[in-house]
Amino acid sequence: MSKYKVFVMRHGEGAWTKENRFCSWVDQRLSEDGVKEALACGHLLKEAGYQLDVVFTSLLSRSIHTAWLLLEAMGQEWVPVVRTWRLNERHYGALIGLNRAEMALNHGEEQVKQWRRSYDLTPPPIDESHPYFLEIYNDRRYSTCDVSKEFLPKSESLKDVLERLQPYWDGTIVPEIKRGKLVLISGHGNSCRALLKHLEGLSDADIVDVTLPTGTPILIELDENFRPTKPMQLLGDQKAIQAAIRKVEDQELL
Ligand SMILES: O=C(O)[C@H](O)COP(=O)(O)O
């Protein structure tokens, strides 16, 4: 029997999704479509009668704006929004800013798929010569973290993402859910995948085939031991959701 519910969702479409570039820790805003997606999610949850108690986001604007727009559409703007770097998108290292289709041309589609979806492959690290290095590491938001700047990642596999996220899930989010709070996590494609791997008990091989659409709330129902009681549900028009998943998958095609 389900004891707890939690929503996990990838933020609305970001500006760089249109350009097909790895965005990761670069603080791009939502695209116009991304704004619409976030509002639509809020309307969907409102119509279903959900009342949120707390929303967790990353430190990146596209995840925070998604939370704001969603809460506004629900008429629940007063709900606390808690931000943490531990929900940030996976750090794509030296791949940040590069175009996925161009990468496929140079390295092959299979290599790009491995970089994007495998569980334990870490892309080459970012270094000071990278055009976005200073923009990321000089950003004041990263001096507010629970680890000092020099220990923030320079590149991550999905496994690394789960390792930095899980202590926050266990220590901060789970206690809220246990207190009876309805929590929504406005995260990123890969921070949400890492969390879903953990919650759904997916194997390292199975997570490779999980791709998340932008701006789609995923409802997870859990028993008292935080084990899923039914398959996760992607809420909304199922045909449109499948098309949105395919769009993300096809980003590495030539
Ligand atoms: O970092 C990004 O650009 C996206 O949020 C995720 O990209 P991916 O779908 O290539 O993992």
Side-chain angles (χ1 to χ4, degrees):
M1 213 181 84
S2 302
K3 179 152 188 201
Y4 305 113
K5 287 183 180 179
V6 57
F7 288 105
V8 173
M9 72 176 260
R10 182 178 182 186
H11 61 78
E13 185 191 75
W16 272 13
T17 311
K18 288 224 184 303
E19 292 180 32
N20 203 8
R21 298 167 77 188
F22 286 105
C23 189
S24 182
W25 282 38
V26 176
D27 195 37
Q28 286 290 317
R29 305 244 153 178
L30 294 177
S31 69
E32 270 179 39
D33 287 347
V35 169
K36 286 184 196 148
E37 285 173 350
L39 290 169
C41 287
H43 290 130
L44 186 79
L45 296 183
K46 185 184 180 184
E47 272 158 33
Y50 287 108
Q51 297 187 325
L52 298 176
D53 294 305
V54 54
V55 177
F56 290 93
T57 74
S58 73
L59 290 186
L60 293 161
S61 305
R62 56 195 189 274
S63 122
I64 299 166
H65 286 164
T66 297
W68 288 349
L69 291 163
L70 178 136
L71 288 171
E72 186 188 336
M74 294 180 82
Q76 297 176 29
E77 294 94 331
W78 59 271
V79 168
V81 176
V82 185
R83 301 152 178 78
T84 170
W85 77 275
R86 291 182 182 273
L87 280 169
N88 266 24
E89 180 53 295
R90 170 187 175 191
H91 197 305
Y92 260 116
L95 305 190
I96 287 178
L98 300 179
N99 177 289
R100 294 180 186 83
E102 279 171 27
M103 295 289 289
L105 208 57
N106 296 333
H107 302 275
E109 285 173 11
E110 189 49 37
Q111 174 65 66
V112 178
K113 180 170 182 183
Q114 287 301 318
W115 271 327
R116 293 180 74 200
R117 294 293 170 258
S118 65
Y119 182 54
D120 49 14
L121 191 72
T122 311
I126 195 168
D127 65 26
E128 289 181 22
S129 67
H130 189 284
Y132 288 97
F133 184 90
L134 291 178
E135 183 176 316
I136 294 171
Y137 293 96
N138 282 350
D139 195 312
R140 200 164 65 90
R141 77 192 74 193
Y142 295 116
S143 52
T144 66
C145 300
D146 57 1
V147 295
S148 58
K149 261 191 194 177
E150 66 263 34
F151 294 114
L152 288 172
K154 300 282 186 313
S155 180
E156 293 179 299
S157 63
L158 193 68
K159 185 166 183 262
D160 298 325
V161 176
L162 184 53
E163 277 169 17
R164 54 119 144 135
L165 175 51
Q166 197 167 342
Y168 193 80
W169 166 259
D170 290 336
T172 305
I173 302 179
V174 166
E176 293 287 9
I177 299 172
K178 283 190 173 160
R179 270 181 223 122
K181 303 267 177 81
L182 184 57
V183 168
L184 182 139
I185 295 165
S186 169
H188 299 260
N190 295 298
S191 52
C192 292
R193 285 176 71 237
L195 192 54
L196 291 175
K197 182 181 190 298
H198 171 62
L199 291 178
E200 301 273 306
L202 300 175
S203 69
D204 298 3
D206 286 345
I207 194 64
V208 174
D209 296 319
V210 177
T211 291
L212 299 182
T214 50
T216 305
I218 303 171
L219 174 61
I220 298 167
E221 299 194 32
L222 302 162
D223 68 13
E224 56 185 6
N225 298 312
F226 276 74
R227 279 193 290 259
T229 54
K230 50 175 82 162
M232 62 184 182
Q233 298 168 63
L234 279 73
L235 304 186
D237 179 271
Q238 296 302 308
K239 259 196 177 160
I241 290 172
Q242 288 311 315
I245 292 174
R246 273 197 304 280
K247 192 172 148 195
V248 178
E249 282 173 346
D250 288 352
Q251 285 172 325
E252 70 220 11
L253 298 186
L254 297 172

